[in-house]
Amino acid sequence: MDNLPIELPFLSNFGLLLTYKCTAACPHCVVEAGPHRKEEVRLDQVTSWIEQARNYRDGHMVGLALTGGEPFYIIDKLTQVVEFGQQHGFLISVVTNAYWAATEEAALSVLSKLPAIQMISISTDIYHLKTIPFQNVVNLIRTCRKLGRLYNIAVCTDDEENPQYRSIVDDLSALGEGDKIRPAITFPVGRAQNLVSKFHYRYSPEPPVSACTMASSPIAFPDGKILACIGPLVTLPPTHPLYLGNLNQESLAEIMDRAEINPILHMIRIWGPYKLVSMLKEMGLGDYLPQEYVSTCICDICYKLMSDEVLLAALNERMQDKKLRQFVAYARLYYLKETMMAQMLHLDDESIRLQEQEEAEVAI
C-alpha cells in the first residue's frame, strides 16, 4: 500500500466524473454540482469505458480516479464501479466531501465495505464547512488511518492569506496532517463566475511559471466528453485543444492516441501554460493577451487563453508547424522520458540528433 504511486505517467491515470449530484452546492464549484442535479453515468456506459481503459496499450492505464459531484451520494453505483474497477486491476482513488462521516463508526462502516478504494481525497474549505462540519473530516482521516488507506486533504481558497483558510490549515496541521494538505486556488468560473467580486484574488501582470501535472490524467464525464484535466475548462464549449474527444463518438484508444500527439497539451505539461503566452507574444499578439493573471494559479492562464477566439485560433495555426511538433516530441523525450509522441510522429534517430543541437530552453 505504501508504494501506491501518487503521480502517474501520462495517460496511466483515468478519471471518471460519476455524477453531478452532491449534498452541497458550494459557491466555488466549477462543475456546479448540487442536490438539484440529476446527471450521472449509466452503469453499462461506465463499465465499457473502464474495460476500454484497461485494454488501452496493453494495460498502460493503471489508476482509476473517481470524482463528482459527490461519488458517495450514489453509493450503490459507486460500489459497483469500484468493484468492477478492482476486478480489472485498477488502483482506485475517490474524491469526497466526507458528508457521510458524521461519526467515526459511520465512516468505518462505509469505507470498510469498499476495500478496493485505496486512496481518498477529502475536500474541505470555508465553502464546504458551511454544510459539512470539520469533525466529519477528522472522522474520515481517523478511519483512513485505522484502515491503512492513503489520503490527502484538498483545501480551496481564493487567497492563501485568508484568515479562515489559514485556520483550517492550522487545524489540520495540529492533527499532524500538514503534509497531507493539497491547497488549490478557486477559479472564477462555473458557479463562482457570479461571485468574482466577493473573491480576493492576488493578481500579477505576468503569468505564473510552472509546469502542469494535472494535464497528465484525462477525465471522462457522464455525457462522454473527455478533457485533459478537471478544471475551469469544463465550462467551455468543445472547441479548445484540451477537449480530447467524446466516448459516444469514438473509442477511448482513438481519443488517447490523438492526445499523445497534441502539442499544446504537452507544452503545458512540460513548461506550463506560460509558454503559450510567451509564444503568442513572439507572434505579435501581445495586445490580445490578458492584462493580469491570478497569482500562483496556472489554470487561470489556460482558461483565459482557451476562451479567447483570437488567441485560440493563433495557437491552433501555430501548432500545424511540423518542426514545432517535433520539438515538443523531443522535449517529452528529454524532460519526461516519454517516447510515444516521437514514435507516432516517426521521429527517427537523425531527427532526434538534430533536435539535440537546439537548446532545450530556447523560446519557441
Side-chain angles (χ1 to χ4, degrees):
M1 185 71 70
D2 290 339
N3 294 323
L4 181 67
I6 303 301
E7 292 186 7
L8 300 171
F10 184 62
L11 298 187
S12 61
N13 193 50
F14 183 50
L16 289 170
L17 189 141
L18 296 181
T19 180
Y20 287 92
K21 296 179 181 179
C22 187
T23 54
C26 294
H28 69 308
C29 186
V30 173
V31 299
E32 301 187 56
H36 64 289
R37 298 295 294 266
K38 305 298 182 184
E39 310 96 312
E40 61 182 84
V41 292
R42 300 192 320 268
L43 190 60
D44 64 318
Q45 181 184 51
V46 73
T47 52
S48 171
W49 297 348
I50 291 173
E51 286 181 334
Q52 290 184 59
R54 178 74 283 180
N55 294 329
Y56 180 64
R57 281 168 47 190
D58 298 322
H60 178 75
M61 290 184 170
V62 297
L64 185 63
L66 308 177
T67 188
E70 173 52 58
F72 284 84
Y73 200 25
I74 53 169
I75 186 67
D76 291 340
K77 183 170 289 183
L78 173 64
T79 300
Q80 292 174 292
V81 171
V82 165
E83 291 177 350
F84 191 80
Q86 182 187 41
Q87 292 168 8
H88 285 70
F90 280 102
L91 304 174
I92 301 172
S93 63
V94 180
V95 175
T96 183
N97 63 24
Y99 84 93
W100 45 275
T103 65
E104 284 189 54
E105 292 75 18
L108 184 63
S109 175
V110 172
L111 206 52
S112 61
K113 294 174 184 176
L114 295 165
I117 296 178
Q118 295 152 297
M119 172 73 186
I120 302 279
S121 182
I122 310 166
S123 299
T124 189
D125 42 54
I126 61 175
Y127 318 106
H128 283 91
L129 289 180
K130 291 180 180 179
T131 56
I132 302 165
F134 184 73
Q135 186 60 45
N136 286 40
V137 175
V138 176
N139 294 336
L140 184 48
I141 288 172
R142 290 172 176 168
T143 299
C144 287
R145 290 175 180 171
K146 188 175 296 184
L147 295 177
R149 308 293 176 88
L150 295 175
Y151 63 94
N152 61 41
I153 306 107
V155 187
C156 278
T157 183
D158 57 325
D159 179 5
E160 292 182 326
E161 300 304 319
N162 181 300
Q164 293 174 292
Y165 167 76
R166 296 307 316 171
S167 178
I168 295 171
V169 170
D170 290 344
D171 288 344
L172 289 169
S173 298
L175 293 170
E177 302 299 334
D179 63 333
K180 297 291 198 303
I181 299 172
R182 301 292 182 269
I185 300 297
T186 59
F187 314 119
V189 298
R191 190 175 287 135
Q193 194 164 19
N194 298 323
L195 301 171
V196 175
S197 62
K198 297 183 179 181
F199 292 142
H200 301 283
Y201 294 111
R202 296 175 183 272
Y203 291 98
S204 169
E206 293 298 324
V209 178
S210 177
C212 178
T213 58
M214 295 298 293
S216 292
S217 300
I219 181 166
F221 293 76
D223 62 359
K225 71 180 178 184
I226 295 186
L227 298 181
C229 66
I230 186 165
L233 297 185
V234 302
T235 63
L236 295 179
T239 54
H240 58 84
L242 299 188
Y243 171 85
L244 304 182
N246 192 300
L247 285 164
N248 293 325
Q249 301 167 1
E250 300 176 275
S251 70
L252 181 72
E254 290 174 308
I255 295 171
M256 295 300 99
D257 283 351
R258 189 167 58 244
E260 282 282 8
I261 56 173
N262 182 325
I264 288 182
L265 171 57
H266 296 296
M267 288 179 70
I268 292 170
R269 293 181 61 236
I270 297 165
W271 296 290
Y274 87 94
K275 196 71 168 180
L276 301 178
V277 173
S278 299
M279 185 170 64
L280 288 164
K281 287 181 179 179
E282 293 176 6
M283 295 169 65
L285 294 169
D287 291 342
Y288 291 91
L289 288 167
Q291 296 302 301
E292 59 183 11
Y293 304 88
V294 176
S295 299
T296 74
C297 182
I298 61 174
C299 296
D300 182 58
I301 311 174
C302 270
Y303 181 79
K304 286 174 175 173
L305 297 184
M306 302 300 166
S307 59
D308 187 292
E309 292 183 3
V310 173
L311 298 178
L312 190 56
L315 286 173
N316 285 330
E317 182 178 357
R318 182 72 177 90
M319 293 304 129
Q320 302 308 310
D321 183 81
K322 181 179 180 180
K323 184 177 180 181
L324 172 60
R325 297 167 75 90
Q326 290 180 337
F327 183 91
V328 175
Y330 173 68
R332 287 185 68 188
L333 280 169
Y334 183 84
Y335 289 111
L336 305 177
K337 313 305 179 188
E338 296 172 354
T339 63
M340 187 56 65
M341 187 175 185
Q343 293 174 10
M344 295 179 75
L345 293 181
H346 307 293
L347 202 62
D348 57 28
D349 292 340
E350 179 60 24
S351 296
I352 292 176
R353 282 195 293 272
L354 290 174
Q355 294 291 348
E356 286 177 333
Q357 294 175 11
E358 300 188 32
E359 291 293 332
E361 293 299 327
V362 69
I364 298 175

